[in-house]
């Protein structure tokens, strides 16, 4: 659309991978809107396509390449901007793909909007000169905001490529974070998720820490619900669990275990033994009502013997998780583990993955069954054609309210769990 010789673009975003990528997309969307541009959910109508790629696994790399090719094929006239871990780590490969107008390194991600507008010669008009628009999160069909609190990681787990792609740790100031949360809350957002590459390492570079940050957020904001993205178990402050006495901090943590065998954890260069992990879980569950823990597990790490795998399964079952992100190990060039000689055969990894998926389903069935009869608050996020509303409890269990014609979108309601689905994927609720 042309107005006063300025071009107001339709912009479409694609992202893969972690919540940090999602937080960055939201930040870019907001900045583009402030510059006077629009967002579109349909890539076919976009003037500018922005893709935030991922490289955490070989499968993520494959998907990144597929998405780049697909959006270019479906909309050859749009400008195409690529960023993220895949494009940062694989500069030669990314240059082999045709039709990319601009590649922005992870180091320049915070300036992606200005760099794109400048290098692609896209003029803008001030946000104040156009009609107010729906904020980026609602425009993209979201209800919770992902808040980037830091980037980078100082640790070097032997399997991880992300710390290499993201570089050294860099924390945002407390004021920047609280101001962003308050802005989102003012615009109608009810829930934020604090995210980063190394969330638990927040503040080490600015004489602060995650405990202090959350205390400040609780004191200086009034947003109803605050969540935490993945936190390494060894990063928890000794008084960290006391923060959950404030009911605005949701009783759920994603604590990456990666393996239930100490010998495998040592080869991974993990900083938390199983005995330490078990104590954290025990303390959390004893101190905080209905506390929910989810985790990550890598299947088939180099050198993982049958005994180590059995040891891992036993420990996973002993802890009990409502959900596990299961990653089949794939060697990533540039990581130490990729140089290990005792790689596990593909068939063995597939068999172990199936075994863990089965165990995860059994654990989830048990945990969700224990929720029946309990009362929670749910933030409703979406409704399907059958008027079934979907949302999440405080402890991050998915809930569906069947055939409700009430307008519950982005509202928080009191509910009672009355059952679980046949596939053990979610709880069924009724309004209280």
């Amino acid at each position: 659309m042309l107005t006063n010789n300025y071009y107001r673009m339709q912009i479409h975003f694609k992202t893969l991978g972690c919540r940090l990528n999602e937080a960055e997309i939201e930040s870019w969307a907001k900045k583009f809107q402030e510059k006077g541009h629009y967002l579109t959910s349909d890539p076919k109508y976009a003037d500018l396509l922005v893709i935030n790629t991922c490289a955490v696994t070989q499968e993520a790399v494959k998907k990144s390449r597929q998405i780049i090719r697909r959006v270019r094929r479906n909309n050859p006239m749009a400008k195409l901007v690529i960023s993220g871990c895949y494009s940062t780590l694989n500069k030669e490969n990314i240059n082999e793909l045709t039709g990319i107008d601009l590649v922005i390194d992870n180091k320049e991600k915070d300036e992606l909007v200005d760099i794109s507008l400048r290098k692609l010669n896209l003029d803008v008009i001030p946000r104040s000169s156009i009609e107010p628009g729906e904020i980026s999160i609602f425009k993209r069909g979201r209800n919770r905001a992902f808040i980037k609190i830091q980037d980078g990681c100082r640790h070097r787990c032997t399997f991880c490529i992300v710390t290499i792609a993201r570089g050294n740790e860099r924390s945002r100031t407390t004021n920047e974070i609280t101001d962003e949360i308050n802005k989102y809350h003012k615009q109608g957002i009810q829930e934020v998720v604090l995210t980063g590459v190394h969330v638990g390492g927040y503040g080490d570079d600015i004489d602060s820490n995650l405990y202090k940050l959350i205390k400040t957020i609780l004191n200086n904001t009034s947003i109803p619900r605050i969540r935490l993205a993945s936190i390494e178990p060894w990063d928890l402050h000794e008084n960290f669990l006391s923060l959950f006495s404030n009911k605005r901090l949701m009783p759920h943590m994603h604590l990456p275990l990666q393996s239930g065998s100490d010998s495998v954890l040592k080869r991974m260069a993990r900083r938390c033994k199983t005995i330490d992990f078990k104590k954290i879980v025990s303390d959390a569950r004893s101190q905080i009502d209905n506390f929910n823990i989810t985790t990550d597990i890598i299947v088939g790490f180099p050198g993982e013997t049958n005994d180590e795998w059995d040891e891992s399964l036993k420990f996973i079952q002993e802890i009990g998780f409502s959900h596990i992100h299961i990653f089949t190990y794939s060697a990533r060039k540039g990581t130490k583990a990729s140089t290990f000689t005792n790689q596990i055969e593909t068939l063995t990894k597939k068999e172990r993955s199936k075994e863990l998926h089965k165990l995860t389903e059994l654990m989830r069935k048990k945990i969700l069954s224990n929720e029946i009869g309990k009362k929670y608050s749910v933030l409703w996020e979406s409704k399907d054609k059958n008027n079934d509303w979907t949302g999440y409890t405080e402890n991050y269990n998915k809930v569906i309210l069947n055939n409700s014609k009430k307008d519950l979108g982005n509202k928080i309601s009191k509910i009672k769990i009355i059952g679980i689905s046949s596939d053990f994927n979610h709880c069924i609720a009724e309004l209280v």
Side-chain angles (χ1 to χ4, degrees):
M1 181 187 300
L2 290 172
T3 305
N4 298 329
N5 297 322
Y6 289 99
Y7 187 67
R8 284 151 60 171
M9 295 181 296
Q10 296 279 353
I11 304 171
H12 178 79
F13 297 94
K14 290 281 189 184
T15 186
L16 296 92
C18 61
R19 288 174 169 179
L20 179 57
N21 269 13
E22 182 66 38
E24 289 165 343
I25 284 285
E26 294 298 353
S27 175
W28 299 337
K30 184 169 61 175
K31 289 178 182 178
F32 273 119
Q33 284 183 308
E34 290 170 352
K35 295 287 187 180
H37 299 297
Y38 299 116
L39 307 182
T40 178
S41 59
D42 192 335
K44 294 194 299 292
Y45 298 112
D47 304 298
L48 177 65
L49 298 161
V50 182
I51 303 177
N52 205 7
T53 62
C54 180
V56 67
T57 63
Q58 286 297 137
E59 184 64 23
V61 168
K62 180 181 177 182
K63 288 182 179 179
S64 294
R65 292 176 65 88
Q66 289 174 339
I67 287 178
I68 292 170
R69 289 192 179 102
R70 184 170 67 247
V71 298
R72 171 48 76 210
R73 182 174 62 251
N74 293 340
N75 188 347
M77 300 304 293
K79 297 288 187 180
L80 179 56
V81 175
I82 308 297
S83 191
C85 291
Y86 166 61
S87 58
T88 297
L89 289 170
N90 299 270
K91 290 183 171 61
E92 291 183 4
N93 290 340
I94 202 74
N95 289 331
E96 294 174 357
L97 299 176
T98 59
I100 297 174
D101 295 282
L102 185 62
V103 178
I104 297 180
D105 192 276
N106 274 346
K107 295 178 181 178
E108 300 178 306
K109 265 189 165 184
D110 291 343
E111 307 299 323
L112 180 140
V113 174
D114 290 335
I115 293 173
S116 298
L117 295 175
R118 183 177 70 252
K119 290 193 174 183
L120 298 178
N121 297 317
L122 303 170
D123 289 326
V124 297
I125 57 178
R127 184 64 180 160
S128 58
S129 68
I130 65 174
E131 71 279 2
E134 190 176 29
I135 65 169
S136 61
I137 292 177
F138 294 139
K139 185 71 175 179
R140 299 183 64 240
R142 304 283 185 176
N143 287 79
R144 64 171 65 90
F146 294 92
I147 307 297
K148 180 178 177 177
I149 66 172
Q150 66 86 233
D151 204 344
C153 182
R154 65 182 178 273
H155 300 303
R156 291 294 181 266
C157 297
T158 59
F159 56 81
C160 187
I161 196 68
V162 176
T163 56
I164 298 172
R166 290 280 183 168
N168 295 328
E169 293 183 351
R170 306 171 303 283
S171 301
R172 298 177 67 195
T173 68
T174 303
N175 287 341
E176 287 177 330
I177 295 167
T178 54
D179 286 349
E180 184 175 6
I181 292 172
N182 283 326
K183 286 178 182 177
Y184 276 127
H185 188 203
K186 187 176 180 180
Q187 293 168 332
I189 292 297
Q190 304 272 31
E191 179 177 301
V192 294
V193 182
L194 307 182
T195 188
V197 174
H198 181 204
V199 170
Y202 172 83
D204 281 358
D205 55 330
I206 58 172
D207 193 29
S208 185
N209 58 52
L210 185 61
Y211 177 85
K212 291 179 182 178
L213 172 64
I214 295 175
K215 289 280 287 185
T216 302
I217 291 172
L218 290 170
N219 290 332
N220 295 346
T221 73
S222 57
I223 196 159
R225 293 160 70 111
I226 301 164
R227 292 194 185 277
L228 301 169
S230 179
I231 302 179
E232 299 296 352
W234 59 78
D235 284 321
L236 298 182
H237 184 277
E238 61 179 342
N239 294 321
F240 191 84
L241 294 177
S242 66
L243 292 168
F244 289 92
S245 62
N246 189 312
K247 299 305 180 183
R248 291 167 55 213
L249 185 61
M250 300 292 97
H252 164 250
M253 281 198 294
H254 187 83
L255 299 175
L257 174 61
Q258 307 301 2
S259 173
S261 168
D262 283 329
S263 52
V264 175
L265 291 173
K266 185 176 181 180
R267 295 199 297 277
M268 291 178 170
R270 300 289 289 168
R271 299 161 60 87
C272 182
K273 295 182 178 180
T274 53
I275 190 172
D276 304 317
F277 191 94
K278 184 177 180 179
K279 185 178 188 309
I280 293 169
V281 172
S282 177
D283 289 345
R285 287 173 172 166
S286 64
Q287 296 177 32
I288 306 161
D289 291 340
N290 300 315
F291 198 82
N292 185 20
I293 295 176
T294 53
T295 197
D296 297 335
I297 297 292
I298 296 175
V299 175
F301 189 75
E304 185 178 62
T305 65
N306 289 332
D307 287 343
E308 287 174 329
W309 176 243
D310 290 341
E311 182 183 6
S312 189
L313 280 180
K314 182 179 179 181
F315 183 77
I316 291 167
Q317 185 171 17
E318 180 182 359
I319 296 297
F321 299 98
S322 67
H323 182 72
I324 298 178
H325 291 155
I326 301 172
F327 297 92
T328 300
Y329 176 79
S330 61
R332 301 293 289 113
K333 184 179 179 181
T335 63
K336 188 175 181 178
S338 68
T339 67
F340 294 173
T341 57
N342 46 355
Q343 302 288 322
I344 304 300
E345 293 181 355
T346 299
L347 180 60
T348 300
K349 289 189 286 189
K350 287 183 177 179
E351 290 174 346
R352 290 177 180 177
S353 180
K354 289 180 181 178
E355 194 173 6
L356 183 54
H357 275 286
K358 184 177 180 180
L359 174 59
T360 301
E361 184 177 283
L362 291 174
M363 291 188 296
R364 184 164 181 78
K365 178 182 178 182
K366 180 179 179 180
I367 289 172
L368 292 188
S369 295
N370 288 334
E371 297 286 76
I372 296 175
K374 294 181 180 179
K375 296 179 180 180
Y376 289 102
S377 294
V378 169
L379 173 61
W380 301 108
E381 300 187 12
S382 62
K383 180 180 69 171
D384 66 16
K385 61 183 179 181
N386 297 318
N387 291 319
D388 293 344
W389 281 96
T390 299
Y392 288 85
T393 61
E394 295 97 327
N395 60 352
Y396 205 61
N397 281 322
K398 184 178 179 180
V399 166
I400 289 184
L401 177 68
N402 291 321
N403 194 27
S404 175
K405 297 181 180 180
K406 291 185 177 181
D407 182 10
L408 299 174
N410 199 42
K411 295 179 181 178
I412 298 174
S413 303
K414 292 287 186 180
I415 60 96
K416 181 180 179 180
I417 304 295
I418 59 173
I420 60 174
S421 62
S422 58
D423 59 1
F424 319 127
N425 182 55
H426 60 265
C427 297
I428 300 170
E430 65 180 11
L431 294 175
V432 174

